[in-house]
Amino acid sequence: MADGWARYGVTPYGAARVEAGGAPAFSVRPQVATVEAQSEHGQMTARLAASSGPWLVRRITVSTPGPTQLTGRAYVYVGEPAPETLVMGTRSGALDVAVEDPPLYIPEGTPLVVRWDAGPTRALARIEYQEA
C-alpha cells in the first residue's frame, strides 16, 4: 500500500460467536487429567498417554502439595525423557504453568512425560488436552 501499512483481509481479534441462548460458542472444551508422579530413577515422573489417536496439549500446571516445596524445575517431554524429546519446562516445579500456543501436538501412542529435577515427596501434573 502507498502509506506503508500492510493490509490484512481479516480482523485478528473479533467478537466471539454467540449461540442462540446467548452463551459464547466454543468449538472444543479441553479435557483435564491430573496425574500423580511416581518415583523413577530417583526423580518424580508423571506420565499421560492418550487412549487412541493424536492429541493436543494446551496447558500443564505442576504442583508439589504438602510440606515439601520444590525449588527445582519441571521438564516436559513428548516421549521418553531424553534431550531430543524435551519440548518445554517450567521455571519452578511448584505452582507453575507451561502454556503452549499453538497447542503441543502429541502423536498417537506417544506419552507426555513431566519430570521434576529435584526430589519432592509428592508431585502432580494437571494437563489440559483435546483429541486432535
Side-chain angles (χ1 to χ4, degrees):
M1 294 178 64
D3 62 5
W5 289 93
R7 177 174 222 123
Y8 299 99
V10 297
T11 304
Y13 303 103
R17 202 175 76 230
V18 177
E19 299 261 340
F26 296 101
S27 57
V28 176
R29 293 184 188 262
Q31 298 178 49
V32 176
T34 301
V35 182
E36 185 151 1
Q38 304 296 318
S39 180
E40 288 184 10
H41 310 291
Q43 293 180 301
M44 295 304 282
T45 304
R47 295 174 177 277
L48 181 65
S51 58
S52 64
W55 41 300
L56 302 170
V57 173
R58 296 191 174 277
R59 180 183 192 99
I60 301 170
T61 306
V62 295
S63 61
T64 54
T68 304
Q69 287 300 313
L70 180 64
T71 57
R73 295 183 174 166
Y75 296 94
V76 179
Y77 301 88
V78 175
E80 293 304 315
E84 62 272 9
T85 61
L86 177 65
V87 293
M88 68 177 138
T90 64
R91 293 182 187 268
S92 149
L95 299 175
D96 205 350
V97 176
V99 177
E100 194 65 24
D101 187 24
L104 182 62
Y105 178 80
I106 311 293
E108 181 177 1
T110 303
L112 178 74
V113 179
V114 181
R115 178 172 277 175
W116 285 258
D117 69 350
T121 56
R122 185 171 181 226
L124 300 172
R126 181 183 184 274
I127 302 161
E128 294 178 19
Y129 68 98
Q130 67 188 53
E131 294 178 3

